[in-house]
Amino acid sequence: MRELYELRGADPELLFSPYCWRVRLALHHKDLAFVSRPLRFSDKQPLLACSGQQLVPVLCDGEAVVHDSLAIFQYLDLSYPERPLLGSGVALERARLVERLVFQAVRMPLLKILLPRVFALIDPADREYFRSSREKALGTTLEAFADPAAGTEQFRVAIAPLQTWLSEQPYLDGAEPGGSDYLVAGLFLWAWCLGEQPWAAGTAVDGWFQRILATYQAQHGPVKRA
Ligand SMILES: N[C@@H](CCC(=O)N[C@@H](CS)C(=O)NCC(=O)O)C(=O)O
């Protein structure tokens, strides 16, 4: 049995973690079935203990227990070599670089937009933990940090290179989607599932996102959106 531990909102069908979305897209790419184990922040401690840490995604695949989205991509490529996500050697290093660059550029702008949405949509039992853990990490209150207008402008600037790249080819990885696409699209799905779309409709990035979403939904059905 293959199980994916992931985060859910107050609505158990609302899955909003960017890193869990990466893994869902990667499992879809490999055509690997899995059972979803959606957790609230307040459920996760005993259930994730087998992974030796407290963050999702965690993939349990038979005897293997793997955490961290990039490590899961590498595990999937090693265990299921057909349709590689990242490849190996230089290709793997390049994919890791893409992940770092995009993560650094878009995570903070997205957080400025999405923090209030996450807080509103998680289970009320999770709110105290969410507030205290995030305020400690950010060094300020959720209210002082959140700035959707500034986040949207910073996001637009951060994705400008992706707009150019994707106006020249359909996917970040070329003619077909690959690991780089899913590493980035997971962050976009974070926003989309929470009911936000900080990129403009009709742009090259929007076309890319809609292609990835449509391919996923064609197999898995509609993605729950707040
Ligand atoms: N580098 C990790 C990051 C995982 C991570 O930060 N997960 C968040 C959800 S988006 C989490 O589990 N948070 C639980 C908590 O804060 O207690 C990955 O790529 O998987």
Side-chain angles (χ1 to χ4, degrees):
M1 159 131 62
R2 193 175 297 113
E3 298 168 286
L4 176 62
Y5 288 88
E6 47 191 343
L7 272 182
R8 53 164 269 202
D11 177 343
E13 286 182 24
L14 183 68
L15 305 170
F16 62 85
S17 159
Y19 315 108
C20 298
W21 271 110
R22 286 175 170 176
V23 174
R24 278 186 162 251
L25 294 172
L27 289 165
H28 167 69
H29 179 88
K30 296 271 188 188
D31 203 15
L32 295 171
F34 65 95
V35 176
S36 168
R37 301 282 183 224
L39 308 176
R40 293 173 300 186
F41 286 95
S42 40
D43 301 327
K44 70 187 174 69
Q45 204 154 1
L47 293 166
L48 298 185
C50 65
S51 72
Q53 52 86 61
Q54 282 297 311
L55 300 178
V56 291
V58 173
L59 182 72
C60 299
D61 188 19
E63 296 295 298
V65 179
V66 194
H67 67 91
D68 186 88
S69 54
L70 205 48
I72 294 172
F73 277 44
Q74 288 175 252
Y75 164 81
L76 291 174
D77 271 349
L78 281 173
S79 306
Y80 306 97
E82 274 199 30
R83 301 204 72 210
L85 289 159
L86 305 176
S88 59
V90 173
L92 173 59
E93 292 310 311
R94 285 183 185 144
R96 293 180 62 234
L97 175 64
V98 168
E99 194 278 334
R100 269 304 86 184
L101 291 175
V102 175
F103 178 82
Q104 297 291 349
V106 308
R107 180 172 165 271
M108 275 300 169
L110 284 176
L111 264 183
K112 282 183 194 286
I113 302 166
L114 300 177
L115 265 189
R117 303 285 295 159
V118 177
F119 190 71
L121 290 163
I122 55 178
D123 195 283
D126 287 345
R127 290 208 178 118
E128 195 180 321
Y129 167 78
F130 184 83
R131 176 180 285 283
S132 62
S133 58
R134 271 46 186 183
E135 291 188 345
K136 189 169 169 215
L138 295 168
T140 186
T141 61
L142 298 185
E143 289 73 14
F145 180 81
D147 189 344
T152 302
E153 176 55 15
Q154 288 164 11
F155 182 79
R156 187 189 66 74
V157 171
I159 65 165
L162 300 183
Q163 295 284 17
T164 309
W165 187 256
L166 290 166
S167 65
E168 291 164 6
Q169 57 186 52
Y171 294 100
L172 299 178
D173 274 341
E176 300 293 332
S180 304
D181 293 278
Y182 306 131
L183 289 170
V184 180
L187 294 159
F188 281 62
L189 268 154
W190 179 28
W192 192 86
C193 287
L194 292 168
E196 296 287 339
Q197 187 186 311
W199 58 93
T203 57
V205 160
D206 184 46
W208 161 84
F209 176 77
Q210 297 300 339
R211 281 190 289 282
I212 290 177
L213 182 63
T215 309
Y216 178 86
Q217 291 191 133
Q219 188 173 336
H220 297 271
V223 170
K224 180 79 184 191
R225 191 173 192 213

